[in-house]
C-alpha cells in the first residue's frame, strides 16, 4: 500500500489518505523500490494559484535525500526562465536541465510529444515543490504533469553525479552556508534581525520601465530589505514567493500594478505578501513589468539564504535611484 496525498491549492492544505495509486501512474513509470512512495497532486482554479482545474501531477519519491536549500534554488532558477516565456510558448524540442550546486532538475515532454508547453512545465514544478515545502520532505523524485488525464510533462529532481556531463543552466554557488538545520528549518542562531540588506538584479526587460515616456538606460534594479523583529520560517516565505511568481507568469509583459497573495503557509497559519508601484512625486510615473517582478522574486531566496535572515520584512525596489515598487511579507499569528 502506498501513501496518496491530495493537494488543494486554495489553502495549501494537504489531506492524507492511504490507498494504492498504481493505476494513476503512467505506463512508463519505473518499478518502485520498497522505499518509494507515490502521491497525487491536484491543481484547482483559484485566486491564489492560477492553474486550471483539469491540471494535476503524479509524483514518485525515491527517498534518497537531497539538499533542501539547493533544491529550492534550482527550482527557482528553472521557474524564472520558464516564467519569462510567453504563456503559450513551447520549449525547444527535447529535454531541458538546470543545476544548482548538488541538485539537478530535468524537464522532458510528455509521452509521445516532441516539446513541452512552458505553462505545463511550470505548473508541474510548482505543484511538486509546493508539496515538498508543505511536508518538509526533500527526496529525489520523478513527476508527471497531466492535463485532463493526458501526460504533458515529465519532471525529475536528482542529485548531481560527480561525472555528469549534462548541459545545464547553473546557478552561482552560495558564498555562505544558508543557515538551515538538517530538518530544513531555519537555525535558531540566525534569528537576529539587524537593520537591512540590499542586492541588485537584472531587469527581464530593460526597456520596460519609463519615466515621463523616456526609457531608463540602466537595466539593473536595486532591492533594499528592512527586516522586522518577528521571525518567519523560511518555508513560509518561499511558499509565498513561488505563488507570487506563478501568478505573475501569465501577465509577464504587462506593467506591475498590484500583486498580493494570502495563504495558509507550510508552518504558519497565515502568510501574506502585497506589492504595488511606488508613488514618486509627479510628474514621474513609473512602469515596472511583471517580468521584472519575476526576476526579483527569483533572486530573493538566494539572497535571504546567504544573509541567514528570515523575518517579516519590508522591501523597496528602485532603478537609477528612483523608487519603482514596494512590498512586504507578514505572518499570523
Amino acid at each position: 500500500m502506498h501513501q496518496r496525498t491530495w493537494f488543494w491549492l486554495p489553502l495549501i492544505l494537504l489531506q492524507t489518505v492511504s490507498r494504492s495509486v498504481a493505476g494513476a501512474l503512467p505506463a512508463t513509470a519505473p518499478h518502485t523500490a520498497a522505499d518509494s512512495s507515490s502521491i497525487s497532486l491536484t491543481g484547482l482554479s483559484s485566486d491564489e494559484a492560477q492553474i486550471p482545474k483539469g491540471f494535476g501531477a503524479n509524483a514518485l519519491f525515491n527517498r534518497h535525500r537531497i539538499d533542501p536549500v539547493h533544491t529550492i534554488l534550482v527550482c527557482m532558477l528553472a521557474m524564472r526562465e520558464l516564467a519569462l516565456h510567453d504563456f503559450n510558448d513551447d520549449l525547444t524540442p527535447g529535454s531541458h536541465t538546470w543545476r544548482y550546486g548538488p541538485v539537478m532538475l530535468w524537464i522532458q515532454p510528455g509521452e509521445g510529444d516532441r516539446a513541452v508547453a512552458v505553462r505545463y512545465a511550470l505548473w508541474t514544478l510548482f505543484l511538486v515543490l509546493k508539496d515538498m515545502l508543505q511536508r518538509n520532505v526533500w527526496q529525489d523524485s520523478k513527476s508527471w504533469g497531466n492535463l485532463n488525464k493526458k501526460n504533458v510533462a515529465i519532471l525529475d529532481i536528482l542529485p548531481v553525479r560527480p561525472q555528469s556531463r549534462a548541459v545545464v543552466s547553473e546557478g552561482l554557488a552560495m558564498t555562505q552556508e544558508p543557515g538551515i538545520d538538517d530538518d530544513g528549518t531555519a537555525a535558531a542562531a540566525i534569528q537576529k534581525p539587524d537593520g537591512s540588506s540590499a542586492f541588485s538584479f537584472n531587469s527581464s526587460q530593460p526597456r520596460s520601465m519609463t519615466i515621463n515616456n523616456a526609457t531608463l538606460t540602466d537595466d539593473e534594479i536595486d532591492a533594499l530589505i528592512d527586516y522586522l523583529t518577528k521571525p518567519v520560517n523560511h518555508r513560509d516565505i518561499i511558499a509565498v514567493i513561488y505563488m507570487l511568481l506563478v501568478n505573475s507568469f501569465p501577465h509577464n509583459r504587462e506593467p506591475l500594478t498590484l500583486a498580493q497573495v494570502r495563504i495558509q503557509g507550510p508552518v504558519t497559519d497565515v502568510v501574506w505578501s502585497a506589492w504595488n508601484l511606488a508613488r514618486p512625486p509627479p510628474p514621474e510615473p513609473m512602469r515596472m513589468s511583471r517580468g521584472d517582478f519575476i526576476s526579483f522574486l527569483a533572486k530573493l531566496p538566494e539572497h535571504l539564504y546567504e544573509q541567514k535572515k528570515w523575518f517579516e520584512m519590508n522591501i523597496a525596489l528602485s532603478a537609477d535611484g528612483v523608487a519603482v515598487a514596494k512590498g512586504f511579507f507578514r505572518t499570523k499569528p
Side-chain angles (χ1 to χ4, degrees):
M1 298 288 286
H2 295 302
Q3 185 183 67
R4 187 178 187 180
T5 303
W6 288 101
F7 192 91
W8 300 105
L9 284 172
L11 294 178
I12 303 194
L13 179 64
L14 294 178
Q15 178 183 4
T16 304
V17 296
S18 179
R19 58 186 297 183
S20 172
V21 298
L25 293 174
T28 57
H31 293 292
T32 61
D35 61 347
S36 298
S37 63
S38 301
I39 63 172
S40 178
L41 312 171
T42 303
L44 296 177
S45 178
S46 76
D47 292 336
E48 294 174 352
Q50 298 170 6
I51 299 177
K53 185 176 181 179
F55 192 88
N58 298 102
L60 179 67
F61 289 88
N62 294 314
R63 297 189 180 178
H64 300 132
R65 188 182 184 277
I66 52 178
D67 178 76
V69 173
H70 288 94
T71 300
I72 288 168
L73 294 179
V74 75
C75 290
M76 185 60 77
L77 189 67
M79 288 185 78
R80 178 190 183 275
E81 184 173 327
L82 293 169
L84 292 178
H85 281 269
D86 286 338
F87 184 78
N88 292 316
D89 276 357
D90 289 341
L91 293 174
T92 55
S95 60
H96 294 259
T97 312
W98 294 262
R99 173 184 170 184
Y100 200 114
V103 182
M104 180 178 292
L105 188 152
W106 186 19
I107 292 176
Q108 305 173 68
E111 300 169 42
D113 295 334
R114 293 183 64 251
V116 58
V118 170
R119 60 190 182 279
Y120 300 157
L122 185 67
W123 294 342
T124 302
L125 177 54
F126 171 80
L127 288 173
V128 172
L129 180 64
K130 181 169 175 279
D131 175 76
M132 295 174 82
L133 286 168
Q134 178 69 32
R135 296 189 297 132
N136 200 23
V137 172
W138 305 95
Q139 301 163 342
D140 64 313
S141 62
K142 190 176 191 71
S143 309
W144 295 264
N146 307 303
L147 180 64
N148 298 324
K149 300 184 179 180
K150 179 187 184 300
N151 177 225
V152 293
I154 300 173
L155 167 67
D156 291 88
I157 302 177
L158 304 165
V160 175
R161 290 168 174 75
Q163 297 180 350
S164 173
R165 295 184 179 181
V167 178
V168 298
S169 300
E170 185 168 0
L172 298 175
M174 289 187 296
T175 57
Q176 306 179 49
E177 290 299 315
I180 301 299
D181 289 335
D182 288 342
D183 65 354
T185 59
I190 70 173
Q191 301 299 339
K192 298 176 181 178
D194 53 354
S196 61
S197 67
F199 66 94
S200 297
F201 61 97
N202 291 330
S203 169
S204 65
Q205 301 162 317
R207 300 180 64 84
S208 64
M209 293 183 296
T210 59
I211 301 178
N212 289 339
N213 298 318
T215 301
L216 287 173
T217 56
D218 190 353
D219 66 354
E220 195 168 79
I221 302 174
D222 300 313
L224 177 64
I225 305 172
D226 286 322
Y227 300 98
L228 306 182
T229 58
K230 184 178 180 180
V232 181
N233 188 283
H234 76 117
R235 289 189 288 138
D236 286 331
I237 296 289
I238 297 298
V240 171
I241 290 173
Y242 275 91
M243 189 76 76
L244 284 166
L245 191 151
V246 168
N247 285 353
S248 297
F249 160 56
H251 316 287
N252 60 18
R253 300 292 187 266
E254 301 173 10
L256 174 69
T257 53
L258 176 67
Q260 56 185 346
V261 163
R262 185 183 182 96
I263 61 172
Q264 178 174 329
V267 179
T268 306
D269 286 345
V270 178
V271 189
W272 78 97
S273 180
W275 293 81
N276 56 29
L277 293 180
R279 302 295 182 189
E284 295 189 338
M286 300 300 298
R287 295 292 182 269
M288 179 177 181
S289 76
R290 288 183 182 269
D292 296 326
F293 186 52
I294 287 170
S295 293
F296 157 70
L297 293 170
K299 182 69 175 177
L300 180 58
E302 182 181 57
H303 179 77
L304 295 176
Y305 282 120
E306 287 180 336
Q307 294 294 312
K308 306 181 184 181
K309 294 179 179 178
W310 299 94
F311 302 92
E312 291 186 342
M313 64 190 85
N314 298 325
I315 304 178
L317 305 180
S318 62
D320 281 345
V322 179
V324 293
K326 58 184 178 180
F328 61 80
F329 290 87
R330 296 289 190 274
T331 61
K332 285 185 179 182

